[in-house]
Amino acid sequence: MRAARLIKMVLLLQSRPSMTAAELARELEVSERTVTRDAQALSEAGVPVYADRGRAGGYRLIGGYRTRLTGLARGEAEALFLSGVPGALREMGLEDAASAARLKVSAALLPSLRDASRTAAQRFHLDAPNWFKEPKTPELLPAVADAVWDDRRIVTRYRSREAEVERELEPYGLVLKAGVWYLCARVAGRGSYRVYRIDRFTAVEAGEERFARDEEFDLPGFWEERAEQFARSILHAEVVVRLSADGVRALPYAVDPQSAREALQAAGATDEDGWVTVTLPVESEEVAHTQLAALGPEVEVLAPEGLRARFASDAIRLARMYGAL
């Protein structure tokens, strides 16, 4: 316990010009008296810790001293760059590696590990807007994550809409979208990349064979393109609505943001009431009813007639509920 604390103290001093006893005590979760004893122990062990006296005093390392105790393994270095997303680390089975890395976080990486930030970014992309879902961790996620980090081919069984199929995949990267985990992978022997929901894998087996990663593959860019394609592919219907100024501001939060922005840009001028008429692509009347209901009295549905009738019925029921009729 004390040895780990002494290492952390050296790393803290290595990362800053100086620190007061109170600052060190707070970081190390000990008393200032313990900090004084630890500093003396380090000095006796040959670590050049110097104490400046006075109100502006503190502890510092002399002569640019740098510890050789960093010892970051590649797994720890890559996990370090994901340490801001502890939930995702835990679900991928990397929590212990991240914990070990935090002890060494302030020390300089070895030259052989300086690409760790790039390799981490190419293997994991976090896309998790606040959509208020209770996430469930797929049972096979750690096995898939191990293969992603190690560039190992995997043989999987995947449950699609039609049937369960077997695929040999080259797993390129993981994406967490609104609590749902996805794998971006290339089918072995083919050039195209695909997206798989990890909770639909029924079996995953990593082989010994590693695949040659395409260094041009850009995970964030690939995901952004596919996500936009998917969002547009499900918009099969159109509705015409009038929006107040408040409704205009709220629309991108109720429906697909990109579609909302494009619809508002194509809209004409406001009418005499300050409202604007918008033609909006939607998934279906059912979905549009749910989404646009969030705008309350800031939206009026003009077409189609069936959707307008639904909102009229909602308005009558609400008026009766609140005693307005």
Side-chain angles (χ1 to χ4, degrees):
M1 182 70 175
R2 190 189 187 199
R5 189 176 71 242
L6 292 174
I7 293 172
K8 185 175 181 179
M9 183 174 181
V10 173
L11 294 174
L12 286 168
L13 293 174
Q14 181 175 306
S15 65
R16 307 179 193 182
S18 67
M19 295 183 70
T20 65
E23 290 172 336
L24 283 168
R26 187 165 54 250
E27 291 281 352
L28 299 172
E29 299 180 348
V30 295
S31 67
E32 293 186 29
R33 179 172 295 182
T34 299
V35 168
T36 301
R37 288 198 296 266
D38 285 353
Q40 183 177 352
L42 286 171
S43 180
E44 291 173 354
V47 179
V49 178
Y50 179 77
D52 291 315
R53 305 292 181 184
R55 290 176 58 86
Y59 292 93
R60 61 186 175 88
L61 294 175
I62 300 174
Y65 175 85
R66 303 193 70 79
T67 178
R68 295 184 180 183
L69 296 174
T70 55
L72 275 174
R74 172 158 291 277
E76 293 175 344
E78 290 171 336
L80 177 64
F81 292 95
L82 300 175
S83 58
V85 283
L89 283 170
R90 182 173 56 254
E91 293 183 11
M92 288 190 292
L94 297 174
E95 188 174 28
D96 290 342
S99 178
R102 289 189 192 103
L103 181 63
K104 308 161 185 179
V105 66
S106 301
L109 293 176
L110 297 173
S112 61
L113 299 178
R114 286 175 184 163
D115 67 336
S117 61
R118 182 183 62 81
T119 57
Q122 290 304 318
R123 287 165 172 80
F124 179 80
H125 173 59
L126 178 65
D127 183 4
N130 194 11
W131 286 354
F132 306 107
K133 281 188 175 181
E134 186 66 31
K136 293 183 179 179
T137 304
E139 183 180 345
L140 296 174
L141 175 60
V144 176
D146 284 345
V148 168
W149 289 112
D150 211 21
D151 292 339
R152 289 189 182 276
R153 287 185 175 179
I154 54 176
V155 177
T156 69
R157 293 195 64 80
Y158 186 76
R159 187 176 64 254
S160 65
R161 291 182 179 178
E162 294 78 20
E164 192 171 275
V165 296
E166 185 171 298
R167 291 280 188 272
E168 184 178 7
L169 302 177
E170 296 175 351
Y172 267 72
L174 295 168
V175 175
L176 176 60
K177 170 71 173 180
V180 179
W181 284 93
Y182 296 88
L183 173 67
C184 301
R186 185 163 59 180
V187 178
R190 304 182 190 176
S192 61
Y193 296 95
R194 301 181 183 182
V195 177
Y196 301 86
R197 277 185 61 141
I198 293 181
D199 58 7
R200 291 182 182 168
F201 284 120
T202 59
V204 173
E205 183 177 349
E208 295 298 322
E209 183 180 0
R210 287 185 170 87
F211 63 91
R213 174 176 286 269
D214 180 2
E215 296 301 327
E216 297 299 317
F217 177 74
D218 175 25
L219 178 60
F222 170 77
W223 176 258
E224 183 178 1
E225 180 182 348
R226 284 301 176 91
E228 183 177 346
Q229 290 175 359
F230 173 76
R232 292 182 179 278
S233 71
I234 63 174
L235 303 179
H236 301 300
E238 283 187 345
V239 299
V240 181
V241 298
R242 289 178 70 237
L243 296 163
S244 69
D246 286 340
V248 167
R249 286 190 287 270
L251 185 64
Y253 300 98
V255 301
D256 175 61
Q258 183 63 29
S259 299
R261 285 191 290 268
E262 292 177 359
L264 290 170
Q265 289 171 1
T270 58
D271 59 25
E272 64 239 21
D273 297 322
W275 288 49
V276 62
T277 299
V278 172
T279 300
L280 184 69
V282 295
E283 184 174 346
S284 66
E285 284 190 28
E286 291 279 353
V287 173
H289 178 245
T290 301
Q291 293 175 329
L292 295 175
L295 301 183
E298 309 307 324
V299 62
E300 178 190 0
V301 175
L302 303 179
E305 187 58 37
L307 184 59
R308 180 177 174 85
R310 285 190 181 205
F311 276 88
S313 176
D314 289 346
I316 293 171
R317 291 172 61 196
L318 286 169
R320 288 173 177 166
M321 186 181 298
Y322 289 101
L325 290 180

